[in-house]
Amino acid sequence: MSKTPRLAALAALALLFLSPVPASAWDPSLRWYSLETPHFVVSYHEGLGQLAQKAARALEAAHERLVPALGHAPKERVQVVVTDETDSANGSATAFLRPEIHLLAVPPDSRSELNDYEDYLWNLVTHEYTHVLHLDEIGGFPALVNSLVGQLWIPNNVQPHWFIEGLAVYEESALSGSGRERSSLYDMYLRAEVLDGTFFELDDASGYPTRWPRGAVPYLHGAKLLEYVANRFGPEAFRRISRDYGSQAIPLAINRTARAQLGKSWLELHEDWKEQLFDEVEQLSERLSARGLTEARLVSHSGDTTGEPHYLPDGRLLYLEDNGDRRANLRLFDPQKGAVEPFLELTGSGPFALAPDGKSAVISAIFNWSLFYDYEDLYRLDLKSGSMTRLTGGARATEPDVGQDGKTIVAARRIGGGRTALMRIDESGQRDLYQAPRDHVVFTPRLSPDGKAVAFSEQRPEGRDIRLLDLASGEVRDLTRDRALDLDPAFDPSGRWLLFASDRSGIYNLYAKDLQGGETYQVTNVLTGAFKPAVSPDSKELAFVTYSSRGYDVAVMPFEPERWRLAPTQDLERPKPEAWESTALYPTHDYQPWKTLLPRYWLPSFGADPRGAALGLVTGGSDVAGHYDWSLSAGLGLESLQPYFDLSVGENITYPLLSAGASSWLASIPGGPQGAIERQSTLSLWASFPYSWRDLSFGATLGYELRRYDPFPWAQTIEPDGPVPFIPEQGLASTAIVGLSFSNAQRFANAISAERGQSLSLTLRATRPELGGDFSATSIEAVFAKYLLMPWAEHHALALRLAGATGVGDLGQRRLFSLGGIGIRDPLIDALNLRTSTGVALRGYKPGAFAGNSYVLGNFEYRFPLWLQGFGPWTFPLYLRRLSGALFCDVGEAANTLTAKKLRPSVGGELRDEIFLGYGLLTNVRLGFARGLGEGGISEWYLALGGAF
């Protein structure tokens, strides 16, 4: 068979694999649709028709209100995608290449930072559309450049996150009677920082702090700072700032824009706001302290999202610790001993409820379901062994409670399209007790001690209230009815008292409803917040979740109803939002991915081939729903006058996921004479099978590659008495590839590295004439990594990596593997190209110094934290997060025949600074020194961007 028909046949096969198929999102069984409004195209999968129509109406209403406020409208329809494949609430928006919004259907959890809303979809839409209008504001020289190369230059995107997110939070609140601007949780976060003396400065809000609440800091501080600016200069100031900054050819001059539009720099404005805030907190603290603050005893001191207190039958207190230092675990507090002990490590974490006998618990956790979804389900947790048994499959259930019979379970569940219900599981099966009306959301159902009623929290447009469901009659009645957010209902053992948390005073406190007399009493008076009440079996102690600047913790206090005072008759003061809902219905049609798959940019690229510099163009595209993507780079060597190209295409609508590629370029011949060059051309097909479960990830990859080696003229110089260098054979290599991978490596929020677990990958490559080529070679490669947490110091870890491969045959006398050091890297160029170095190398030797048909490599690193930095220079786009060090030893060799005597060792060390660069890139800068101790060893300094293995 000739070489050319082989390539043509494989090209035809690639087109067959990549021909259009019915569109779906991850799950191939789903159909996709689109609807068009005057200013938007909304694409969604089946099951979301009603929600997509409502989203379209919300988007048009937001356009009507936000465009005048921000003074800008996109030139084209904004692409919007609505999906429901996860139980995590979120959304995103961009103006890069095209204005685009992605919306997730599920409402946020009960105590999420997003929990303050009348209609969650409205707040989500106004937040994300604000991003589009802000980022899409491009003028001046950047707009001229974009007209030539595509919308790549987004000046307003090169701003601190506190301005980008703060503006969106401001507008989400300005167009509603809720939003994070008014959130009692956000007020609590900020108040605790002031009270505890841990206030985040402007450099922290410009960066990505390691301290709680971490990624929420830009939203929190940005929203409050911009609220101060709007109150002082008027909200039209944001329109002027966006227009000015969006037209600047010189980026990062945010203070120059502030001075021009506001008369002060952001640093000066921040100090003004901070002074006002501190005065307000001091006055509030004095007023609350005058009433007498609640005295409680802290049980935990770990912070973050620690909580979920539950009493065992013997009176001991079980709670969940989840603080970013390790995997979530249950802790046991013994009030008799006054001590906290480790109890049980968890795989995943979520709300849980104890069985009456205290031997098991029902826990909810989000894990992969049916390959394509991340859904929350219920599991029975054996508290002795730690084993978990699935109770529901794809039920999307959360916040469970277990009845006194130990068999009845109630929970809230998401029923799709943004709707929720209360469900019951017992010996007769699973059924819904109550489906919330559209635009309502139910939370935290709790069974009464006699099993006859369920108390729960229900979000309605006018507020969140505690309600009671009578199980016999199905009747639902209000226990509270106000604008406040009332949440976390819990019965005392007698069933007389129903405790709950409420922000009716602007501060979350605990309250108690007397189910016999009907009165409501205030239980706590705190400066920050109180949540999740739990009463001990003997009714003598009350546990609850409290808050400080380090996050949430568990506290206890006496349960003394006789000392409670009647709750003041007060309610949150919130403006009545302007009505936006309409009855408009927009026509729908099948989703057409090709409409958004065409290229949106043409970007020059600068590179090199073996003869010198090369110049080219890069382009690509993906449809808005992410079903297909492709990229193409092509160009010409300026000295070689030889063309090159690299084309890749992929799809995301089948299982396995399919991709293909084709490329052609000039390459140096490994092991050949100096200056030896050849042209390599490839055509490849790939199928990947990703799978994850709990904290495990698995993957399998099947690939087929044709690689053609063609000669290219080069000047050969042979010394008269020297050996004649070999010239590899030209021809076609056809290779089948099988790859397998597994990982349960764990890195926690406060860690500098993975600290536990291992990963393993195996790759088998078979180059055979029977597959259509000229060469015969087979190789197998294995890579194993192990991470061990050291017991003597927090976040000290030993990282071990062993890799090796061996092969038989050759690729026309070409060696199969090469090995060597990292070499000197330019971190700025790495950042601009989003290129990282993994640190997997034989450091202390020249890059690619050794080659052969086998290799072995061991990397051993001891990693340790040095300095939790957490600072940056003012508003400069650089934030230093944490400095760490590593001492390493590498040993390896690549040759046709490996022997222990020829193994080449090296030693060295690295300083690694985790940084937030350019307001958007979180990475590591690594400065290292290595000394090769074997033959060919060198002393090398290197600078690289990216993490180690």
Side-chain angles (χ1 to χ4, degrees):
M1 187 176 184
S2 67
K3 306 300 189 294
T4 302
R6 287 176 190 157
L7 289 171
L10 190 58
L13 182 61
L15 291 175
L16 176 64
F17 267 88
L18 295 166
S19 60
V21 297
S24 58
W26 294 101
D27 184 348
S29 67
L30 295 178
R31 288 191 64 184
W32 275 69
Y33 306 92
S34 297
L35 61 86
E36 298 187 20
T37 78
H39 303 100
F40 302 90
V41 179
V42 181
S43 299
Y44 58 96
H45 58 71
E46 63 179 274
L48 297 180
Q50 286 186 313
L51 186 67
Q53 289 284 352
K54 181 180 177 181
R57 294 191 292 270
L59 286 159
E60 284 295 335
H63 180 86
E64 181 181 337
R65 291 158 173 78
L66 285 171
V67 166
L70 296 176
H72 175 73
K75 297 177 181 178
E76 59 182 299
R77 282 184 173 140
V78 178
Q79 297 290 330
V80 182
V81 180
V82 184
T83 60
D84 196 15
E85 76 278 7
T86 178
D87 280 339
S88 297
N90 211 336
S92 62
T94 184
F96 188 73
L97 301 183
R98 61 182 169 229
E100 188 174 311
I101 295 173
H102 288 253
L103 306 174
L104 297 180
V106 297
D109 296 331
S110 180
R111 279 197 292 125
S112 164
E113 295 162 12
L114 305 171
N115 75 342
D116 198 332
Y117 57 88
E118 294 101 1
D119 187 305
Y120 173 63
L121 184 64
W122 173 248
N123 281 33
L124 181 64
V125 161
T126 53
H127 182 99
E128 303 303 342
Y129 194 46
T130 297
H131 282 323
V132 166
L133 297 180
H134 172 217
L135 301 179
D136 191 65
E137 175 76 80
I138 306 168
F141 184 67
L144 176 62
V145 172
N146 287 345
S147 68
L148 301 175
V149 301
Q151 192 152 300
L152 298 172
W153 192 347
I154 318 290
N156 277 323
N157 198 45
V158 190
Q159 286 179 295
H161 279 187
W162 58 258
F163 188 88
I164 296 173
E165 297 297 346
L167 178 60
V169 171
Y170 174 82
E171 294 295 351
E172 89 186 25
S173 305
L175 296 185
S176 72
S178 56
R180 279 167 282 185
E181 190 72 67
R182 299 186 178 92
S183 167
S184 297
L185 279 177
Y186 259 33
D187 288 343
M188 178 184 75
Y189 285 4
L190 208 56
R191 189 166 59 250
E193 290 179 28
V194 176
L195 292 171
D196 293 349
T198 59
F199 193 76
F200 287 103
E201 298 294 344
L202 196 56
D203 61 330
D204 298 302
S206 300
Y208 193 85
T210 57
R211 288 193 288 121
W212 173 269
R214 300 190 184 92
V217 172
Y219 294 78
L220 170 63
H221 282 250
K224 298 298 185 179
L225 174 58
L226 293 196
E227 180 188 32
Y228 170 81
V229 170
N231 291 336
R232 182 171 172 180
F233 300 97
E236 63 275 7
F238 303 139
R239 180 172 58 222
R240 300 195 307 270
I241 291 171
S242 295
R243 183 164 297 166
D244 183 342
Y245 196 83
S247 302
Q248 290 186 15
I250 301 175
L252 309 177
I254 63 171
N255 285 307
R256 185 178 69 180
T257 298
R259 289 190 187 96
Q261 302 301 326
L262 305 176
K264 285 191 173 186
S265 72
W266 285 115
L267 296 169
E268 294 169 316
L269 291 168
H270 183 266
E271 288 302 310
D272 294 345
W273 164 65
K274 179 180 172 182
E275 182 179 353
Q276 175 181 299
L277 173 67
F278 276 53
D279 288 342
E280 292 172 353
V281 171
E282 182 180 1
Q283 294 171 21
L284 176 62
S285 177
E286 290 174 356
R287 290 199 307 270
L288 293 177
S289 298
R291 301 179 197 170
L293 296 176
T294 296
E295 294 183 4
R297 174 187 180 186
L298 274 179
V299 170
S300 71
H301 300 82
S302 49
D304 279 57
T305 55
T306 294
E308 292 293 319
H310 294 274
Y311 281 97
L312 291 165
D314 61 7
R316 292 180 297 169
L317 182 65
L318 196 66
Y319 67 90
L320 177 70
E321 180 188 76
D322 192 2
N323 66 352
D325 283 320
R326 57 191 64 85
R327 181 186 269 177
N329 64 96
L330 296 178
R331 296 259 171 175
L332 190 62
F333 171 68
D334 189 335
Q336 301 298 323
K337 299 178 181 178
V340 174
E341 301 173 353
F343 186 75
L344 182 67
E345 185 177 84
L346 298 179
T347 302
S349 65
F352 75 94
L354 279 177
D357 60 9
K359 295 181 180 179
S360 66
V362 175
I363 189 168
S364 65
I366 297 178
F367 295 130
N368 181 265
W369 167 252
S370 187
L371 288 177
F372 308 106
Y373 304 95
D374 290 322
Y375 281 168
E376 192 167 6
D377 272 303
L378 302 183
Y379 300 81
R380 188 173 294 279
L381 173 68
D382 186 292
L383 294 179
K384 183 176 182 180
S385 67
S387 62
M388 292 175 64
T389 304
R390 181 188 284 273
L391 297 177
T392 64
R396 311 184 71 175
T398 184
E399 299 172 333
D401 192 37
V402 182
Q404 291 301 308
D405 60 3
K407 300 176 182 179
T408 302
I409 301 169
V410 294
R413 79 178 188 95
R414 307 165 181 95
I415 57 178
R419 300 193 62 187
T420 59
L422 299 180
M423 64 178 289
R424 174 174 179 157
I425 303 174
D426 54 27
E427 293 177 327
S428 63
Q430 172 185 320
R431 64 187 184 278
D432 283 348
L433 297 171
Y434 170 74
Q435 284 197 8
R438 185 166 295 279
D439 303 331
H440 291 211
V441 184
V442 293
F443 304 96
T444 52
R446 295 296 179 258
L447 278 159
S448 62
D450 61 11
K452 295 181 179 180
V454 176
F456 63 97
S457 177
E458 181 170 352
Q459 175 72 43
R460 297 180 277 201
E462 60 273 17
R464 185 174 305 176
D465 301 300
I466 304 299
R467 310 193 74 196
L468 194 67
L469 167 66
D470 184 275
L471 292 176
S473 65
E475 178 188 357
V476 180
R477 64 186 177 95
D478 291 334
L479 296 181
T480 66
R481 190 67 186 253
D482 49 35
R483 178 57 186 83
L485 300 184
D486 301 335
L487 41 125
D488 299 342
F491 290 94
D492 82 314
S494 73
R496 175 184 175 182
W497 299 102
L498 183 66
L499 291 94
F500 60 96
S502 176
D503 69 341
R504 60 187 60 189
S505 68
I507 296 176
Y508 278 103
N509 270 293
L510 297 184
Y511 296 84
K513 182 79 171 182
D514 185 347
L515 297 180
Q516 294 178 5
E519 296 87 356
T520 300
Y521 295 85
Q522 184 170 345
V523 178
T524 64
N525 182 41
V526 296
L527 287 175
T528 54
F531 311 87
K532 283 281 183 179
V535 183
S536 63
D538 60 7
S539 296
K540 293 182 179 180
E541 192 174 65
L542 172 65
F544 64 98
V545 173
T546 186
Y547 187 83
S548 71
S549 61
R550 64 171 173 263
Y552 295 94
D553 273 302
V554 174
V556 294
M557 61 180 285
F559 183 72
E560 299 173 324
E562 66 277 6
R563 300 187 61 181
W564 299 341
R565 293 179 294 183
L566 283 171
T569 55
Q570 62 187 126
D571 194 6
L572 286 182
E573 295 182 3
R574 295 291 179 85
K576 185 175 178 60
E578 180 184 354
W580 61 267
E581 181 67 278
S582 71
T583 58
L585 285 177
Y586 300 97
T588 66
H589 56 79
D590 285 340
Y591 174 66
Q592 298 170 317
W594 62 268
K595 286 189 173 182
T596 54
L597 192 58
L598 299 176
R600 303 279 304 188
Y601 69 96
W602 301 92
L603 190 65
S605 64
F606 305 92
D609 66 17
R611 286 290 177 87
L615 179 64
L617 284 175
V618 178
T619 188
S622 63
D623 68 288
V624 67
H627 295 173
Y628 302 97
D629 63 84
W630 64 278
S631 65
L632 172 66
S633 62
L636 185 72
L638 299 183
E639 295 185 33
S640 66
L641 299 180
Q642 290 295 305
Y644 70 88
F645 77 91
D646 187 355
L647 171 68
S648 65
V649 292
E651 58 81 35
N652 200 31
I653 59 170
T654 67
Y655 194 85
L657 306 178
L658 303 177
S659 60
S663 60
S664 181
W665 72 99
L666 289 185
S668 298
I669 299 177
Q674 182 70 27
I677 299 173
E678 62 186 357
R679 176 169 289 278
Q680 296 187 16
S681 304
T682 66
L683 197 57
S684 60
L685 284 174
W686 299 92
S688 59
F689 303 77
Y691 178 73
S692 62
W693 170 244
R694 298 187 183 177
D695 58 358
L696 309 177
S697 63
F698 306 88
T701 303
L702 301 178
Y704 179 69
E705 179 188 83
L706 285 180
R707 183 181 296 263
R708 179 163 182 84
Y709 302 95
D710 287 314
F712 183 82
W714 50 277
Q716 181 177 9
T717 301
I718 302 176
E719 297 294 333
D721 299 326
V724 177
F726 79 91
I727 305 300
E729 300 173 12
Q730 309 300 314
L732 185 68
S734 56
T735 306
I737 304 107
V738 177
L740 300 172
S741 63
F742 157 83
S743 177
N744 66 353
Q746 301 164 31
R747 175 175 178 172
F748 308 108
N750 296 334
I752 61 169
S753 160
E755 295 181 345
R756 294 174 53 177
Q758 50 272 318
S759 64
L760 174 66
S761 66
L762 295 171
T763 305
L764 175 66
R765 302 176 66 93
T767 303
R768 308 291 300 171
E770 293 85 352
L771 297 174
D774 300 314
F775 306 124
S776 179
T778 303
S779 67
I780 185 170
E781 183 175 19
V783 180
F784 174 76
K786 177 74 174 179
Y787 304 95
L788 301 168
L789 181 64
M790 298 294 97
W792 49 77
E794 191 87 299
H795 302 306
H796 284 233
L798 186 64
L800 313 173
R801 182 182 182 276
L802 298 175
T806 188
V808 294
D810 61 58
L811 300 175
Q813 299 183 357
R814 295 171 182 81
R815 294 162 184 170
L816 302 180
F817 304 102
S818 63
L819 194 62
I822 294 177
I824 297 176
R825 300 284 293 268
D826 186 330
L828 179 59
I829 299 300
D830 282 352
L832 293 175
N833 290 281
L834 298 180
R835 182 176 61 206
T836 62
S837 169
T838 63
V840 177
L842 181 57
R843 290 163 285 194
Y845 298 86
K846 292 182 178 181
F850 316 109
N853 280 3
S854 298
Y855 86 89
V856 63
L857 174 64
N859 304 106
F860 309 91
E861 291 193 357
Y862 180 79
R863 300 169 178 173
F864 47 92
L866 290 173
W867 181 18
L868 189 63
Q869 297 160 305
F871 71 88
W874 307 288
T875 56
F876 195 73
L878 172 66
Y879 186 74
L880 308 177
R881 300 185 80 224
R882 47 193 160 199
L883 183 68
S884 64
L887 301 175
F888 64 79
C889 173
D890 297 342
V891 59
E893 169 68 321
N896 287 333
T897 302
L898 295 176
T899 62
K901 292 183 178 180
K902 290 189 176 182
L903 289 176
R904 305 168 196 269
S906 67
V907 294
E910 287 187 359
L911 284 177
R912 300 168 178 171
D913 207 346
E914 189 178 77
I915 65 171
F916 195 62
L917 184 63
Y919 302 134
L921 177 64
L922 182 62
T923 187
N924 281 276
V925 172
R926 297 164 42 216
L927 173 64
F929 174 81
R931 172 59 185 167
L933 304 178
E935 182 180 351
I938 61 173
S939 295
E940 65 165 349
W941 288 93
Y942 56 89
L943 193 62
L945 196 72
F949 67 90

